[in-house]
Amino acid sequence: MGWPVMHSRSPLLHNHWFGKHGLAGTYVPFAIRPEHLAAALRALHPLGFAGCNLTIPHKQQAMTIVDEVDTVGRRIGAISCVVVRPDGSLAGSNNDCYGFIQNLRQSQPGWRADAGPVAVLGAGGGSRAVCYALAQEGAKQIRLVNRTFARAKGIAEEFGGPIEALPWESRHDALDGAAMVVNATSQGMTGQPALDIRLDKLPKSALAADIIYTPLETPFLAAARSRGNRAVNGLGMLLHQGRPAWKAWFGIEPEVTPELRDLLERSLSAQG
Ligand SMILES: NC(=O)c1ccc[n+]([C@@H]2O[C@H](COP(=O)([O-])OP(=O)(O)OC[C@H]3O[C@@H](n4cnc5c(N)ncnc54)[C@H](OP(=O)(O)O)[C@@H]3O)[C@@H](O)[C@H]2O)c1
């Protein structure tokens, strides 16, 4: 459920797994106006759905509608997945953290959150999941930079631990000595200007990650790759967050295979 939702690649992902696991089901996009979200979620049970995923702008509002929210969802302040329980009650969870970390594990074997300072750019919903995940994974220092400083400060105060909020002007210097930099802003997305950042202070050994997957290679990732940094795009985060959803809906843990990545990459490339 999203508004809008027709651009979503989730149906392609989940229907691939339906075919792979021989389940007689289907995953459909529902364009739901925010004012209809409660009624739509409550209709899942009578309509026979196992659950749903939530995307912009529903992730926060849905928390106030479902009957129970897990710890990760409560800490992040947003849910990305709803499970319809046998009695018809609704359980909410956030699988974005899992998706972010598992994507790094799969694409960068040996990756560790505590390898050195991590710079995170952006302090929106995606960033909250990234910061929470990195802190849970043992990151020792997270330099959180956002255009609106108050939002970064809010996350640092709420999550505490290794997160230090820094003003937007310091974003270039925040890369000094970093083991990893994550773009969690919307800058570089199709239709948006490129992220305005200089990479000269970023060590060549650092990993550059973007949570954006349209386009697959943002100008930020392209710049990092061209100077020799390893680069990870946001597609794997989307793919991996689907796995715990399937575990909860059907008791199955589907795989993120090269074939599945290829299917999604071809669909995204065809979009241009
Ligand atoms: N791969 C995945 O599974 C996944 C999951 C979640 C999100 N995403 C992607 O991540 C991106 C961000 O999503 P979101 O939900 O976090 O969005 P959001 O909550 O709207 O946050 C947007 C972020 O971008 C910053 N920003 C916007 N315009 C900017 C500009 N001109 N200069 C500098 N910073 C700017 C905002 O800063 P201010 O606070 O100053 O406005 C904010 O930090 C989207 O492209 C989304 O598709 C991917």
Side-chain angles (χ1 to χ4, degrees), residues 50-229:
C52 73
N53 286 126
L54 298 158
T55 188
I56 289 173
H58 298 323
K59 288 186 181 187
Q60 274 123 20
Q61 193 197 342
M63 266 188 76
T64 66
I65 297 166
V66 299
D67 302 292
E68 197 181 320
V69 176
D70 71 358
T71 313
V72 181
R74 277 200 306 273
R75 289 298 310 274
I76 294 173
I79 56 174
S80 61
C81 179
V82 172
V83 177
V84 179
R85 296 189 289 208
D87 66 355
S89 63
L90 303 175
S93 57
N94 191 310
N95 298 329
D96 289 343
C97 294
Y98 175 90
F100 178 69
I101 298 297
Q102 290 305 313
N103 180 36
L104 290 174
R105 291 231 168 93
Q106 191 184 46
S107 58
Q108 302 291 317
W111 173 83
R112 294 180 59 103
D114 61 0
V118 184
V120 178
L121 306 159
S127 171
R128 290 180 71 87
V130 166
C131 289
Y132 185 77
L134 288 170
Q136 284 294 109
E137 287 297 311
K140 299 266 190 298
Q141 192 191 7
I142 300 172
R143 303 168 183 166
L144 180 59
V145 193
N146 193 47
R147 178 181 63 173
T148 308
F149 178 68
R151 277 183 104 184
K153 195 158 167 276
I155 295 180
E157 283 171 3
E158 208 178 310
F159 293 176
I163 303 173
E164 182 193 359
L166 297 167
W168 189 235
E169 302 71 59
S170 68
R171 62 195 179 282
H172 316 292
D173 294 334
L175 308 189
D176 200 0
M180 180 176 172
V181 51
V182 185
N183 175 33
T185 73
S186 50
Q187 297 296 280
M189 246 181 111
T190 306
Q192 296 282 331
L195 178 68
D196 174 18
I197 185 125
R198 286 196 315 271
L199 300 179
D200 48 305
K201 296 223 167 131
L202 184 70
K204 292 276 165 56
S205 57
L207 176 65
D210 206 315
I211 67 167
I212 291 173
Y213 57 88
T214 50
L216 284 165
E217 181 141 292
T218 58
F220 159 70
L221 279 193
R225 200 191 293 278
S226 75
R227 65 193 289 283
N229 291 102

Side-chain angles (χ1 to χ4, degrees), residues 254-269:
E255 291 299 315
V256 174
T257 58
E259 177 198 8
L260 174 59
R261 259 182 203 271
D262 193 52
L263 177 73
L264 272 283
E265 281 179 11
R266 273 187 283 120
S267 159
L268 290 164
S269 305

